Amino acid sequence: MDARASRRLIALAIAAALAAGGATGAVGSPVAQASADLPWKDQVLAVVQPLADRRLSAGDGPGSPFLALGFDALGRASGDERYATAIAQGATPAPARPDGDAICAADGCRADTLLGGPALWTGPSDSDAARATAVALDPPFRRMADTLFDRQALLFRADTATPVEGRFDAHLNARAFVALTRMIDALPTEDPARLEYVAWYREMARPIVRVQGPDGWWRETLGDPAAPIDRSASALYVHGLTWGLNTGMLSFNEGETAALRGWDALRSPDGLAALQSDDEGLGVLLLASAQLAERRW
């Protein structure tokens, strides 16, 4: 079957799946089977573009900064300008940056003061606004890491008040992991601080790969197989690991298996159904998919 015929079959399968309310690119679905003959990039995009297009048809702007980032990444990967147009139509004023001097400057340091705020997640990391934000947030980010990065577990604690006891939150650390990639992308190559972010990123990658479940998912409490699956965190981990492989920050044997196993979990029927149910989930799915579509390994 040639590529044109495959695309025609994919379009028919997508229409049928959407009409039935099903997941369009799940493993074993007609879309996945039809796209198997396409190049890798087209296979990945065939999974998520129908979900993105259905969200675009809703007509309102992104309800999460992660969806805006996901649309931007998908637009770059696919070359489809509709996604950038959707971001522009739903654009809101840039959020005020948090008071950097106040973050982790005294007792009671909390990671979500920085990682949970919108300033860190506004705009692609190669934009002028993101670069300016990275420079402004560099001192408080490093202060937070110096305080909350556990040197034994190589993961972030939530705050200084809660005993760790070997329990680390998946979503918090997923945000921290991807935040490191954004800081590395945004800071000038010659900036000495950038080397610290590279070191933290590479250190975090080791336990993140190690605690992934055999089913490709990460649990809400990292390393606890009895904890519920955290699908949004899993998408962020796949994004972060694939970014490392694409940029050369990680070698193949450091993250390839985990990234591909995670992708299989994301594109499963349960994964797609759960992640497309809200703007943040769809956004992190698009971020992971766009990185995978640009696979350089």
Side-chain angles (χ1 to χ4, degrees), residues 7-290:
R7 290 189 180 92
R8 189 179 302 116
L9 181 55
I10 289 170
L12 292 172
I14 286 170
L18 289 175
T24 60
V27 179
S29 72
V31 176
Q33 294 171 18
S35 66
D37 294 328
L38 296 176
W40 167 263
K41 183 173 186 175
D42 292 338
Q43 290 183 42
V44 174
L45 295 178
V47 173
V48 295
Q49 278 194 278
L51 307 181
D53 292 347
R54 183 159 58 177
R55 177 60 184 82
L56 285 182
S57 68
D60 53 338
S64 162
F66 286 100
L67 184 56
L69 290 174
F71 275 149
D72 176 78
L74 182 61
R76 294 176 185 227
S78 66
D80 192 328
E81 296 180 355
R82 292 176 304 142
Y83 303 115
T85 302
I87 298 169
Q89 290 175 342
T92 57
R97 297 190 192 113
D99 181 3
D101 292 338
I103 294 176
C104 293
D107 293 339
C109 180
R110 293 181 56 86
D112 59 8
T113 304
L114 184 61
L115 299 176
L120 191 58
W121 309 106
T122 301
S125 54
D126 61 356
S127 67
D128 290 341
R131 292 190 183 101
T133 298
V135 170
L137 294 183
D138 171 43
F141 198 122
R142 285 187 286 121
R143 216 163 37 237
M144 178 195 71
D146 288 341
T147 305
L148 297 178
F149 189 65
D150 189 292
R151 294 304 313 172
Q152 291 187 321
L154 302 180
L155 295 166
F156 278 88
R157 301 160 54 197
D159 54 53
T160 52
T162 305
V164 176
E165 299 178 349
R167 298 175 66 83
F168 293 89
D169 181 78
H171 202 73
L172 172 78
N173 277 280
R175 284 196 174 214
F177 193 50
V178 175
L180 292 173
T181 71
R182 286 178 61 78
M183 295 295 286
I184 293 168
D185 276 342
L187 288 172
T189 305
E190 64 276 10
D191 189 333
R194 186 174 180 272
L195 296 177
E196 292 187 77
Y197 292 98
V198 171
W200 283 319
Y201 169 82
R202 288 182 53 78
E203 288 176 330
M204 282 193 77
R206 299 207 300 272
I208 286 168
V209 167
R210 188 176 63 250
V211 301
Q212 183 188 32
D215 56 2
W217 295 112
W218 283 263
R219 268 54 189 180
E220 289 180 2
T221 300
L222 290 175
D224 181 358
I229 290 169
D230 192 325
R231 291 179 175 82
S232 290
S234 296
L236 288 172
Y237 287 130
V238 171
H239 167 74
L241 290 170
T242 307
W243 174 90
L245 292 164
N246 283 343
T247 59
M249 294 288 175
L250 295 178
S251 63
F252 300 152
N253 62 351
E254 289 177 302
E256 180 183 24
T257 299
L260 293 177
R261 185 189 294 138
W263 170 239
D264 283 342
L266 296 181
R267 67 190 183 103
S268 68
D270 288 346
L272 292 177
L275 287 166
Q276 68 176 306
S277 64
D278 62 74
D279 277 1
E280 179 171 334
L282 179 58
V284 295
L285 174 64
L286 297 182
L287 280 172
S289 303

